Amino acid sequence: MQKNVAELLQSDQFLQEVQIKGWVRTFRANRFIALNDGSTIKNIQCVIDFENTDESLLKRITTSAALSITGTLVESQGKGQRVEINVSNIEILGDSNPDEYPIQPKKHSFEFLRENAHLRVRTNTFSAVMRLRSALSFAVHKYFTENGFYNFHAPIITGSDAEGAGEMFKISTLDPKNPPKKENGEIDFSKDFFGKETNITVSGQLEAETYAMALGKVYTFGPTFRAENSNTTRHLAEFWMIEPEVAFMDLDGNMDLAEDFIKSVLKYVLDNCKNDLAFLDERFVKEESTKPQLQRSEMSLLEKLNFVVDNQFKRVSYTEAIDILRNCKPNKKKKFQYIINEWGADLQSEHERFLVEKHFKCPVILFDYPATIKAFYMRLNDDGKTVRAMDVLFPGIGEIVGGSQREERYDVLVEKMKALDIDEKELWWYLDLRKFGTAVHSGFGLGFERLVQFTTGMGNIRDVIPFPRTPQNAEF
Ligand code: 4AD
Ligand code: MG
């Protein structure tokens, strides 16, 4: 196979003829082409003998034109690269009109690049982010495979909307202008494609539980959808979630798993994505330096990643956290948007970030939340008011993982569903798990984009997924 830029940059087969295809990043002094083929953040320098090259050809060497270059690999005379190509032949594979190409070799705002999401991956920042996204995805599968988990594909279309994780997108093939109606005037979904109301999933958890209760250790890694109108830097309407589910594992085991898993995938990219991380580290430090002192990250990106890998996450009960928050300065001085007055309050991202960034200064796992602010399936503690829930909180991100030990006791679960008005008939299959060989089991969900955000230091979640879906935005 033809070598790519990453391979040529490692090569020391000097004076050999090589061929390389890629896109022009820059063209300097009618002589130096920086060619990139996506295999690495680095470009290969291709030096042309411009005096013997057709002027009409030189004019077509413009930013983002696709070229095929043949030449000899030599040790570079100049600074900044070890090897370069002395060009013997250039073929223009695809022209790129410089007057129309939207991405110039200068700094563009991320907002502008989002409007050109089909081309933004040709920039250094986005190509680095997307290569890291790919490496993280591989690391996820590697971790679970090496630890005895089976990959389970949760369905995307679901008939239940009982998870309670968020607003759902409905799917239907009924004619919206003239849907069949029941006698009472309501839409008759029995005439719809699936014979009932269906949605696209907010989480594969409930289905993953069924598989964990047969295969033992499973995980899903797929797209999930939430129709919340949250226009924040951490929410998408379509995002990818990793959800392991393990039979015979309690909440302590769940916390151990989450911590070990996150550290392992971060370690993987620290070891395997050095060039991209070095580039993003520099970008991160530069960007932080433009922020006011108090909002600046004290660590560089690489320091943050190494810190997470090397240090234990702090485990703190919800009750302890509320005590800390009630008595902290920003609460007393009413600097929080939501003031914490009493036990039972739901934590907002400002509180989570205070705990992680200001108080503990390390990743935190909060556990044993009030039952009233968590989902119906979480296992009730003996105190009758808290559940075996856990959230992993990260600096700059807030919640990155949400999980729990599941309620495995049939009677307790039914009781809970009744209290919350959840139809038992709709979740008959979920209740069956508690009838036929029930057992302690636990799992969690990690938002993949939030992990990519943390790893790459990108401030906005829209910049770590190829084509973000957010309210009012589904171009491309
Ligand atoms: O905390 P959540 O809602 O938990 C669940 O869905 C459980 N069923 C998971 C489980 O126990 N198997 O979501 C899990 C994680 C969050 O911690 C967050 O990282 C991410 O998913 N997340 C989002 N990421 C991007 N955009 C959104 N709108 C998100 N909502 C949740
Ligand atoms: Mg959550």
Side-chain angles (χ1 to χ4, degrees), residues 163 165 202-203 205 226 228 234-237 239 241 243-245 377 391 399-404 406 443-447 449-450 461:
E163 151 108 15
V202 292
S203 155
Q205 177 200 323
R226 300 197 182 173
E228 294 153 282
R234 305 172 317 119
H235 287 90
L236 291 164
F239 64 100
M241 191 161 32
E243 295 180 275
E245 192 70 34
Y377 51 70
D391 276 3
E399 180 191 333
I400 194 163
V401 162
S404 64
R406 319 305 188 189
F444 62 80
L446 174 133
E449 284 72 21
R450 293 194 185 169
I461 198 163

PDB file of all heavy atoms in Angstrom, residues 163 165 202-203 205 226 228 234-237 239 241 243-245 377 391 399-404 406 443-447 449-450 461, ligand 1:
ATOM      1  N   GLU A 163     -38.132   5.609  31.056  1.00  0.00           N
ATOM      2  CA  GLU A 163     -36.834   5.814  31.695  1.00  0.00           C
ATOM      3  C   GLU A 163     -36.796   7.126  32.474  1.00  0.00           C
ATOM      4  O   GLU A 163     -36.170   7.237  33.506  1.00  0.00           O
ATOM      5  CB  GLU A 163     -35.731   5.776  30.637  1.00  0.00           C
ATOM      6  CG  GLU A 163     -34.520   6.602  30.974  1.00  0.00           C
ATOM      7  CD  GLU A 163     -33.308   5.764  31.354  1.00  0.00           C
ATOM      8  OE1 GLU A 163     -33.323   4.567  31.084  1.00  0.00           O
ATOM      9  OE2 GLU A 163     -32.386   6.301  31.934  1.00  0.00           O
ATOM     10  N   ALA A 165     -35.401   9.855  31.547  1.00  0.00           N
ATOM     11  CA  ALA A 165     -34.118  10.557  31.420  1.00  0.00           C
ATOM     12  C   ALA A 165     -34.246  11.871  30.657  1.00  0.00           C
ATOM     13  O   ALA A 165     -33.342  12.675  30.653  1.00  0.00           O
ATOM     14  CB  ALA A 165     -33.089   9.674  30.738  1.00  0.00           C
ATOM     15  N   VAL A 202     -33.597   7.430  24.679  1.00  0.00           N
ATOM     16  CA  VAL A 202     -32.788   8.361  25.475  1.00  0.00           C
ATOM     17  C   VAL A 202     -31.645   7.632  26.166  1.00  0.00           C
ATOM     18  O   VAL A 202     -30.730   8.252  26.700  1.00  0.00           O
ATOM     19  CB  VAL A 202     -33.615   9.086  26.560  1.00  0.00           C
ATOM     20  CG1 VAL A 202     -34.619  10.037  25.940  1.00  0.00           C
ATOM     21  CG2 VAL A 202     -34.311   8.097  27.489  1.00  0.00           C
ATOM     22  N   SER A 203     -31.717   6.292  26.172  1.00  0.00           N
ATOM     23  CA  SER A 203     -30.710   5.500  26.887  1.00  0.00           C
ATOM     24  C   SER A 203     -30.964   4.032  26.604  1.00  0.00           C
ATOM     25  O   SER A 203     -32.108   3.607  26.475  1.00  0.00           O
ATOM     26  CB  SER A 203     -30.842   5.764  28.389  1.00  0.00           C
ATOM     27  OG  SER A 203     -30.347   4.669  29.144  1.00  0.00           O
ATOM     28  N   GLN A 205     -30.172   1.716  28.675  1.00  0.00           N
ATOM     29  CA  GLN A 205     -29.995   1.043  29.969  1.00  0.00           C
ATOM     30  C   GLN A 205     -30.972  -0.090  30.248  1.00  0.00           C
ATOM     31  O   GLN A 205     -30.576  -1.182  30.632  1.00  0.00           O
ATOM     32  CB  GLN A 205     -30.073   2.056  31.109  1.00  0.00           C
ATOM     33  CG  GLN A 205     -29.960   1.399  32.479  1.00  0.00           C
ATOM     34  CD  GLN A 205     -30.491   2.275  33.580  1.00  0.00           C
ATOM     35  OE1 GLN A 205     -30.312   3.490  33.534  1.00  0.00           O
ATOM     36  NE2 GLN A 205     -31.148   1.693  34.564  1.00  0.00           N
ATOM     37  N   ARG A 226     -32.159  13.280  22.981  1.00  0.00           N
ATOM     38  CA  ARG A 226     -32.982  13.983  23.985  1.00  0.00           C
ATOM     39  C   ARG A 226     -33.505  15.294  23.413  1.00  0.00           C
ATOM     40  O   ARG A 226     -32.741  16.117  22.918  1.00  0.00           O
ATOM     41  CB  ARG A 226     -32.174  14.224  25.256  1.00  0.00           C
ATOM     42  CG  ARG A 226     -31.729  12.885  25.819  1.00  0.00           C
ATOM     43  CD  ARG A 226     -31.281  12.900  27.240  1.00  0.00           C
ATOM     44  NE  ARG A 226     -30.847  11.542  27.570  1.00  0.00           N
ATOM     45  CZ  ARG A 226     -30.269  11.196  28.693  1.00  0.00           C
ATOM     46  NH1 ARG A 226     -30.062  12.094  29.622  1.00  0.00           N
ATOM     47  NH2 ARG A 226     -29.923   9.937  28.913  1.00  0.00           N
ATOM     48  N   GLU A 228     -34.601  17.886  24.760  1.00  0.00           N
ATOM     49  CA  GLU A 228     -34.675  19.007  25.700  1.00  0.00           C
ATOM     50  C   GLU A 228     -34.219  20.268  24.993  1.00  0.00           C
ATOM     51  O   GLU A 228     -33.300  20.220  24.182  1.00  0.00           O
ATOM     52  CB  GLU A 228     -33.711  18.815  26.870  1.00  0.00           C
ATOM     53  CG  GLU A 228     -34.033  17.664  27.755  1.00  0.00           C
ATOM     54  CD  GLU A 228     -32.765  17.157  28.421  1.00  0.00           C
ATOM     55  OE1 GLU A 228     -31.996  16.455  27.760  1.00  0.00           O
ATOM     56  OE2 GLU A 228     -32.563  17.488  29.580  1.00  0.00           O
ATOM     57  N   ARG A 234     -22.762  21.918  26.980  1.00  0.00           N
ATOM     58  CA  ARG A 234     -22.581  20.520  27.364  1.00  0.00           C
ATOM     59  C   ARG A 234     -23.743  19.625  26.936  1.00  0.00           C
ATOM     60  O   ARG A 234     -23.809  18.478  27.313  1.00  0.00           O
ATOM     61  CB  ARG A 234     -22.398  20.417  28.884  1.00  0.00           C
ATOM     62  CG  ARG A 234     -21.249  21.278  29.435  1.00  0.00           C
ATOM     63  CD  ARG A 234     -21.242  21.289  30.943  1.00  0.00           C
ATOM     64  NE  ARG A 234     -22.597  21.429  31.438  1.00  0.00           N
ATOM     65  CZ  ARG A 234     -23.216  20.538  32.192  1.00  0.00           C
ATOM     66  NH1 ARG A 234     -22.596  19.463  32.587  1.00  0.00           N
ATOM     67  NH2 ARG A 234     -24.457  20.744  32.591  1.00  0.00           N
ATOM     68  N   HIS A 235     -24.698  20.184  26.193  1.00  0.00           N
ATOM     69  CA  HIS A 235     -25.861  19.386  25.798  1.00  0.00           C
ATOM     70  C   HIS A 235     -26.009  19.289  24.296  1.00  0.00           C
ATOM     71  O   HIS A 235     -25.899  20.283  23.578  1.00  0.00           O
ATOM     72  CB  HIS A 235     -27.153  19.993  26.362  1.00  0.00           C
ATOM     73  CG  HIS A 235     -27.309  19.792  27.825  1.00  0.00           C
ATOM     74  ND1 HIS A 235     -26.828  20.699  28.745  1.00  0.00           N
ATOM     75  CD2 HIS A 235     -27.857  18.790  28.538  1.00  0.00           C
ATOM     76  CE1 HIS A 235     -27.087  20.249  29.959  1.00  0.00           C
ATOM     77  NE2 HIS A 235     -27.705  19.098  29.875  1.00  0.00           N
ATOM     78  N   LEU A 236     -26.308  18.081  23.836  1.00  0.00           N
ATOM     79  CA  LEU A 236     -26.650  17.846  22.438  1.00  0.00           C
ATOM     80  C   LEU A 236     -27.999  17.138  22.402  1.00  0.00           C
ATOM     81  O   LEU A 236     -28.371  16.458  23.361  1.00  0.00           O
ATOM     82  CB  LEU A 236     -25.608  16.940  21.782  1.00  0.00           C
ATOM     83  CG  LEU A 236     -24.206  17.527  21.573  1.00  0.00           C
ATOM     84  CD1 LEU A 236     -23.210  16.422  21.281  1.00  0.00           C
ATOM     85  CD2 LEU A 236     -24.230  18.544  20.431  1.00  0.00           C
ATOM     86  N   ALA A 237     -28.707  17.290  21.284  1.00  0.00           N
ATOM     87  CA  ALA A 237     -29.960  16.542  21.142  1.00  0.00           C
ATOM     88  C   ALA A 237     -29.673  15.118  20.681  1.00  0.00           C
ATOM     89  O   ALA A 237     -30.463  14.205  20.910  1.00  0.00           O
ATOM     90  CB  ALA A 237     -30.866  17.245  20.137  1.00  0.00           C
ATOM     91  N   PHE A 239     -26.475  12.462  21.064  1.00  0.00           N
ATOM     92  CA  PHE A 239     -25.125  12.236  21.586  1.00  0.00           C
ATOM     93  C   PHE A 239     -24.908  10.743  21.761  1.00  0.00           C
ATOM     94  O   PHE A 239     -25.850   9.961  21.713  1.00  0.00           O
ATOM     95  CB  PHE A 239     -24.911  12.976  22.921  1.00  0.00           C
ATOM     96  CG  PHE A 239     -25.788  12.506  24.052  1.00  0.00           C
ATOM     97  CD1 PHE A 239     -25.280  11.625  25.013  1.00  0.00           C
ATOM     98  CD2 PHE A 239     -27.094  12.937  24.177  1.00  0.00           C
ATOM     99  CE1 PHE A 239     -26.078  11.190  26.075  1.00  0.00           C
ATOM    100  CE2 PHE A 239     -27.900  12.505  25.230  1.00  0.00           C
ATOM    101  CZ  PHE A 239     -27.391  11.632  26.173  1.00  0.00           C
ATOM    102  N   MET A 241     -23.614   7.504  23.895  1.00  0.00           N
ATOM    103  CA  MET A 241     -23.459   7.139  25.303  1.00  0.00           C
ATOM    104  C   MET A 241     -22.894   5.726  25.427  1.00  0.00           C
ATOM    105  O   MET A 241     -23.233   4.838  24.650  1.00  0.00           O
ATOM    106  CB  MET A 241     -24.799   7.250  26.041  1.00  0.00           C
ATOM    107  CG  MET A 241     -24.608   7.132  27.527  1.00  0.00           C
ATOM    108  SD  MET A 241     -25.919   7.748  28.621  1.00  0.00           S
ATOM    109  CE  MET A 241     -27.414   7.518  27.776  1.00  0.00           C
ATOM    110  N   GLU A 243     -22.773   2.654  27.964  1.00  0.00           N
ATOM    111  CA  GLU A 243     -23.487   2.192  29.146  1.00  0.00           C
ATOM    112  C   GLU A 243     -23.125   0.740  29.493  1.00  0.00           C
ATOM    113  O   GLU A 243     -23.674  -0.195  28.919  1.00  0.00           O
ATOM    114  CB  GLU A 243     -24.997   2.305  28.922  1.00  0.00           C
ATOM    115  CG  GLU A 243     -25.460   3.741  28.774  1.00  0.00           C
ATOM    116  CD  GLU A 243     -26.961   3.864  28.558  1.00  0.00           C
ATOM    117  OE1 GLU A 243     -27.396   3.751  27.407  1.00  0.00           O
ATOM    118  OE2 GLU A 243     -27.694   4.040  29.540  1.00  0.00           O
ATOM    119  N   PRO A 244     -22.193   0.568  30.441  1.00  0.00           N
ATOM    120  CA  PRO A 244     -21.940  -0.789  30.932  1.00  0.00           C
ATOM    121  C   PRO A 244     -23.000  -1.183  31.955  1.00  0.00           C
ATOM    122  O   PRO A 244     -23.562  -0.316  32.638  1.00  0.00           O
ATOM    123  CB  PRO A 244     -20.566  -0.674  31.604  1.00  0.00           C
ATOM    124  CG  PRO A 244     -20.433   0.755  31.980  1.00  0.00           C
ATOM    125  CD  PRO A 244     -21.289   1.560  31.039  1.00  0.00           C
ATOM    126  N   GLU A 245     -23.293  -2.469  32.019  1.00  0.00           N
ATOM    127  CA  GLU A 245     -24.260  -2.982  33.001  1.00  0.00           C
ATOM    128  C   GLU A 245     -23.730  -4.338  33.469  1.00  0.00           C
ATOM    129  O   GLU A 245     -23.360  -5.179  32.639  1.00  0.00           O
ATOM    130  CB  GLU A 245     -25.629  -3.133  32.329  1.00  0.00           C
ATOM    131  CG  GLU A 245     -26.772  -3.385  33.270  1.00  0.00           C
ATOM    132  CD  GLU A 245     -27.135  -2.181  34.153  1.00  0.00           C
ATOM    133  OE1 GLU A 245     -27.021  -1.019  33.709  1.00  0.00           O
ATOM    134  OE2 GLU A 245     -27.532  -2.428  35.311  1.00  0.00           O
ATOM    135  N   TYR A 377     -35.708   3.537  38.869  1.00  0.00           N
ATOM    136  CA  TYR A 377     -35.088   2.207  38.916  1.00  0.00           C
ATOM    137  C   TYR A 377     -33.904   2.114  39.875  1.00  0.00           C
ATOM    138  O   TYR A 377     -33.259   1.084  39.959  1.00  0.00           O
ATOM    139  CB  TYR A 377     -34.643   1.793  37.512  1.00  0.00           C
ATOM    140  CG  TYR A 377     -33.803   2.847  36.811  1.00  0.00           C
ATOM    141  CD1 TYR A 377     -32.501   3.123  37.244  1.00  0.00           C
ATOM    142  CD2 TYR A 377     -34.300   3.587  35.741  1.00  0.00           C
ATOM    143  CE1 TYR A 377     -31.737   4.103  36.633  1.00  0.00           C
ATOM    144  CE2 TYR A 377     -33.539   4.564  35.122  1.00  0.00           C
ATOM    145  CZ  TYR A 377     -32.256   4.820  35.579  1.00  0.00           C
ATOM    146  OH  TYR A 377     -31.509   5.790  34.974  1.00  0.00           O
ATOM    147  N   ASP A 391     -22.964   9.977  40.557  1.00  0.00           N
ATOM    148  CA  ASP A 391     -22.601  10.835  39.429  1.00  0.00           C
ATOM    149  C   ASP A 391     -21.105  11.085  39.517  1.00  0.00           C
ATOM    150  O   ASP A 391     -20.610  11.397  40.603  1.00  0.00           O
ATOM    151  CB  ASP A 391     -23.325  12.189  39.512  1.00  0.00           C
ATOM    152  CG  ASP A 391     -24.738  12.127  38.929  1.00  0.00           C
ATOM    153  OD1 ASP A 391     -25.175  11.030  38.527  1.00  0.00           O
ATOM    154  OD2 ASP A 391     -25.401  13.182  38.895  1.00  0.00           O
ATOM    155  N   GLU A 399     -21.109  16.963  35.302  1.00  0.00           N
ATOM    156  CA  GLU A 399     -21.443  15.535  35.266  1.00  0.00           C
ATOM    157  C   GLU A 399     -20.946  14.876  33.979  1.00  0.00           C
ATOM    158  O   GLU A 399     -21.337  15.263  32.890  1.00  0.00           O
ATOM    159  CB  GLU A 399     -22.954  15.370  35.386  1.00  0.00           C
ATOM    160  CG  GLU A 399     -23.374  13.908  35.359  1.00  0.00           C
ATOM    161  CD  GLU A 399     -24.881  13.724  35.209  1.00  0.00           C
ATOM    162  OE1 GLU A 399     -25.647  14.612  35.618  1.00  0.00           O
ATOM    163  OE2 GLU A 399     -25.273  12.677  34.667  1.00  0.00           O
ATOM    164  N   ILE A 400     -20.137  13.855  34.134  1.00  0.00           N
ATOM    165  CA  ILE A 400     -19.672  13.111  32.952  1.00  0.00           C
ATOM    166  C   ILE A 400     -20.271  11.709  32.942  1.00  0.00           C
ATOM    167  O   ILE A 400     -20.476  11.113  31.896  1.00  0.00           O
ATOM    168  CB  ILE A 400     -18.125  13.100  32.874  1.00  0.00           C
ATOM    169  CG1 ILE A 400     -17.622  12.656  31.502  1.00  0.00           C
ATOM    170  CG2 ILE A 400     -17.496  12.253  33.974  1.00  0.00           C
ATOM    171  CD1 ILE A 400     -16.166  13.007  31.232  1.00  0.00           C
ATOM    172  N   VAL A 401     -20.584  11.205  34.146  1.00  0.00           N
ATOM    173  CA  VAL A 401     -21.179   9.874  34.283  1.00  0.00           C
ATOM    174  C   VAL A 401     -22.370   9.955  35.230  1.00  0.00           C
ATOM    175  O   VAL A 401     -22.318  10.648  36.244  1.00  0.00           O
ATOM    176  CB  VAL A 401     -20.154   8.875  34.887  1.00  0.00           C
ATOM    177  CG1 VAL A 401     -20.844   7.635  35.433  1.00  0.00           C
ATOM    178  CG2 VAL A 401     -19.110   8.480  33.865  1.00  0.00           C
ATOM    179  N   GLY A 402     -23.445   9.242  34.876  1.00  0.00           N
ATOM    180  CA  GLY A 402     -24.562   9.056  35.804  1.00  0.00           C
ATOM    181  C   GLY A 402     -24.872   7.576  35.866  1.00  0.00           C
ATOM    182  O   GLY A 402     -24.944   6.916  34.832  1.00  0.00           O
ATOM    183  N   GLY A 403     -25.015   7.041  37.053  1.00  0.00           N
ATOM    184  CA  GLY A 403     -25.300   5.604  37.153  1.00  0.00           C
ATOM    185  C   GLY A 403     -25.900   5.238  38.489  1.00  0.00           C
ATOM    186  O   GLY A 403     -26.172   6.109  39.316  1.00  0.00           O
ATOM    187  N   SER A 404     -26.104   3.941  38.684  1.00  0.00           N
ATOM    188  CA  SER A 404     -26.690   3.502  39.953  1.00  0.00           C
ATOM    189  C   SER A 404     -26.627   1.991  40.102  1.00  0.00           C
ATOM    190  O   SER A 404     -26.404   1.265  39.125  1.00  0.00           O
ATOM    191  CB  SER A 404     -28.158   3.926  40.054  1.00  0.00           C
ATOM    192  OG  SER A 404     -28.926   3.276  39.056  1.00  0.00           O
ATOM    193  N   ARG A 406     -29.196  -0.922  40.620  1.00  0.00           N
ATOM    194  CA  ARG A 406     -30.604  -0.964  40.218  1.00  0.00           C
ATOM    195  C   ARG A 406     -31.454  -1.625  41.299  1.00  0.00           C
ATOM    196  O   ARG A 406     -30.986  -2.524  41.996  1.00  0.00           O
ATOM    197  CB  ARG A 406     -30.764  -1.739  38.905  1.00  0.00           C
ATOM    198  CG  ARG A 406     -29.700  -1.468  37.854  1.00  0.00           C
ATOM    199  CD  ARG A 406     -29.543  -0.012  37.508  1.00  0.00           C
ATOM    200  NE  ARG A 406     -28.633   0.169  36.351  1.00  0.00           N
ATOM    201  CZ  ARG A 406     -28.185   1.345  35.954  1.00  0.00           C
ATOM    202  NH1 ARG A 406     -28.517   2.457  36.603  1.00  0.00           N
ATOM    203  NH2 ARG A 406     -27.384   1.447  34.905  1.00  0.00           N
ATOM    204  N   GLY A 443     -24.897  -0.284  36.892  1.00  0.00           N
ATOM    205  CA  GLY A 443     -24.322   0.205  35.635  1.00  0.00           C
ATOM    206  C   GLY A 443     -24.302   1.716  35.630  1.00  0.00           C
ATOM    207  O   GLY A 443     -24.753   2.369  36.571  1.00  0.00           O
ATOM    208  N   PHE A 444     -23.774   2.247  34.554  1.00  0.00           N
ATOM    209  CA  PHE A 444     -23.741   3.712  34.428  1.00  0.00           C
ATOM    210  C   PHE A 444     -23.732   4.122  32.967  1.00  0.00           C
ATOM    211  O   PHE A 444     -23.554   3.280  32.072  1.00  0.00           O
ATOM    212  CB  PHE A 444     -22.526   4.300  35.163  1.00  0.00           C
ATOM    213  CG  PHE A 444     -21.178   3.860  34.655  1.00  0.00           C
ATOM    214  CD1 PHE A 444     -20.602   4.444  33.522  1.00  0.00           C
ATOM    215  CD2 PHE A 444     -20.462   2.868  35.313  1.00  0.00           C
ATOM    216  CE1 PHE A 444     -19.358   4.047  33.071  1.00  0.00           C
ATOM    217  CE2 PHE A 444     -19.202   2.467  34.855  1.00  0.00           C
ATOM    218  CZ  PHE A 444     -18.648   3.065  33.732  1.00  0.00           C
ATOM    219  N   GLY A 445     -23.932   5.400  32.749  1.00  0.00           N
ATOM    220  CA  GLY A 445     -23.847   5.947  31.394  1.00  0.00           C
ATOM    221  C   GLY A 445     -22.799   7.044  31.369  1.00  0.00           C
ATOM    222  O   GLY A 445     -22.790   7.921  32.243  1.00  0.00           O
ATOM    223  N   LEU A 446     -21.906   6.964  30.405  1.00  0.00           N
ATOM    224  CA  LEU A 446     -20.923   8.031  30.236  1.00  0.00           C
ATOM    225  C   LEU A 446     -21.199   8.730  28.918  1.00  0.00           C
ATOM    226  O   LEU A 446     -21.310   8.076  27.871  1.00  0.00           O
ATOM    227  CB  LEU A 446     -19.492   7.470  30.254  1.00  0.00           C
ATOM    228  CG  LEU A 446     -18.395   8.501  29.935  1.00  0.00           C
ATOM    229  CD1 LEU A 446     -17.257   8.410  30.929  1.00  0.00           C
ATOM    230  CD2 LEU A 446     -17.860   8.316  28.536  1.00  0.00           C
ATOM    231  N   GLY A 447     -21.358  10.034  28.978  1.00  0.00           N
ATOM    232  CA  GLY A 447     -21.602  10.807  27.763  1.00  0.00           C
ATOM    233  C   GLY A 447     -20.307  10.913  26.971  1.00  0.00           C
ATOM    234  O   GLY A 447     -19.361  11.562  27.413  1.00  0.00           O
ATOM    235  N   GLU A 449     -19.380  12.455  24.246  1.00  0.00           N
ATOM    236  CA  GLU A 449     -18.912  13.788  23.839  1.00  0.00           C
ATOM    237  C   GLU A 449     -18.330  14.560  25.013  1.00  0.00           C
ATOM    238  O   GLU A 449     -17.409  15.348  24.848  1.00  0.00           O
ATOM    239  CB  GLU A 449     -20.033  14.602  23.184  1.00  0.00           C
ATOM    240  CG  GLU A 449     -20.339  14.172  21.756  1.00  0.00           C
ATOM    241  CD  GLU A 449     -21.051  12.842  21.672  1.00  0.00           C
ATOM    242  OE1 GLU A 449     -21.670  12.446  22.695  1.00  0.00           O
ATOM    243  OE2 GLU A 449     -20.993  12.179  20.618  1.00  0.00           O
ATOM    244  N   ARG A 450     -18.873  14.343  26.206  1.00  0.00           N
ATOM    245  CA  ARG A 450     -18.291  15.044  27.359  1.00  0.00           C
ATOM    246  C   ARG A 450     -16.890  14.512  27.633  1.00  0.00           C
ATOM    247  O   ARG A 450     -15.996  15.258  28.040  1.00  0.00           O
ATOM    248  CB  ARG A 450     -19.206  14.919  28.573  1.00  0.00           C
ATOM    249  CG  ARG A 450     -20.512  15.683  28.353  1.00  0.00           C
ATOM    250  CD  ARG A 450     -21.311  15.895  29.612  1.00  0.00           C
ATOM    251  NE  ARG A 450     -22.590  16.521  29.273  1.00  0.00           N
ATOM    252  CZ  ARG A 450     -23.597  16.654  30.109  1.00  0.00           C
ATOM    253  NH1 ARG A 450     -23.486  16.219  31.360  1.00  0.00           N
ATOM    254  NH2 ARG A 450     -24.710  17.234  29.711  1.00  0.00           N
ATOM    255  N   ILE A 461     -19.434  21.539  23.371  1.00  0.00           N
ATOM    256  CA  ILE A 461     -19.704  20.151  22.974  1.00  0.00           C
ATOM    257  C   ILE A 461     -20.005  20.042  21.469  1.00  0.00           C
ATOM    258  O   ILE A 461     -19.791  19.000  20.862  1.00  0.00           O
ATOM    259  CB  ILE A 461     -20.853  19.565  23.837  1.00  0.00           C
ATOM    260  CG1 ILE A 461     -20.859  18.027  23.774  1.00  0.00           C
ATOM    261  CG2 ILE A 461     -22.199  20.156  23.445  1.00  0.00           C
ATOM    262  CD1 ILE A 461     -21.666  17.368  24.874  1.00  0.00           C
TER     263      ILE A 461
HETATM  264  O1  4AD B   1     -27.343  10.813  33.678  1.00  0.00           O
HETATM  265  P1  4AD B   1     -27.994  10.251  32.453  1.00  0.00           P
HETATM  266  O2  4AD B   1     -29.265  10.838  32.015  1.00  0.00           O
HETATM  267  O3  4AD B   1     -28.118   8.704  32.750  1.00  0.00           O
HETATM  268  C1  4AD B   1     -28.771   7.774  32.001  1.00  0.00           C
HETATM  269  O4  4AD B   1     -29.259   7.964  30.917  1.00  0.00           O
HETATM  270  C2  4AD B   1     -28.712   6.390  32.602  1.00  0.00           C
HETATM  271  N1  4AD B   1     -29.733   5.568  31.943  1.00  0.00           N
HETATM  272  C3  4AD B   1     -27.315   5.842  32.418  1.00  0.00           C
HETATM  273  C4  4AD B   1     -27.161   4.444  32.993  1.00  0.00           C
HETATM  274  O5  4AD B   1     -27.202   4.279  34.190  1.00  0.00           O
HETATM  275  N2  4AD B   1     -26.965   3.456  32.139  1.00  0.00           N
HETATM  276  O6  4AD B   1     -26.955  10.339  31.238  1.00  0.00           O
HETATM  277  C5  4AD B   1     -25.680   9.751  31.335  1.00  0.00           C
HETATM  278  C6  4AD B   1     -24.611  10.676  30.822  1.00  0.00           C
HETATM  279  C7  4AD B   1     -24.493  11.998  31.581  1.00  0.00           C
HETATM  280  O7  4AD B   1     -23.722  11.836  32.744  1.00  0.00           O
HETATM  281  C8  4AD B   1     -23.821  12.877  30.553  1.00  0.00           C
HETATM  282  O8  4AD B   1     -22.427  12.631  30.514  1.00  0.00           O
HETATM  283  C9  4AD B   1     -24.415  12.385  29.263  1.00  0.00           C
HETATM  284  O9  4AD B   1     -24.905  11.084  29.492  1.00  0.00           O
HETATM  285  N3  4AD B   1     -25.514  13.241  28.795  1.00  0.00           N
HETATM  286  C10 4AD B   1     -25.437  14.083  27.748  1.00  0.00           C
HETATM  287  N4  4AD B   1     -24.416  14.387  26.930  1.00  0.00           N
HETATM  288  C11 4AD B   1     -24.650  15.283  25.951  1.00  0.00           C
HETATM  289  N5  4AD B   1     -25.840  15.883  25.751  1.00  0.00           N
HETATM  290  C12 4AD B   1     -26.899  15.617  26.541  1.00  0.00           C
HETATM  291  N6  4AD B   1     -28.087  16.195  26.308  1.00  0.00           N
HETATM  292  C13 4AD B   1     -26.712  14.676  27.605  1.00  0.00           C
HETATM  293  N7  4AD B   1     -27.526  14.170  28.568  1.00  0.00           N
HETATM  294  C14 4AD B   1     -26.778  13.304  29.267  1.00  0.00           C
END
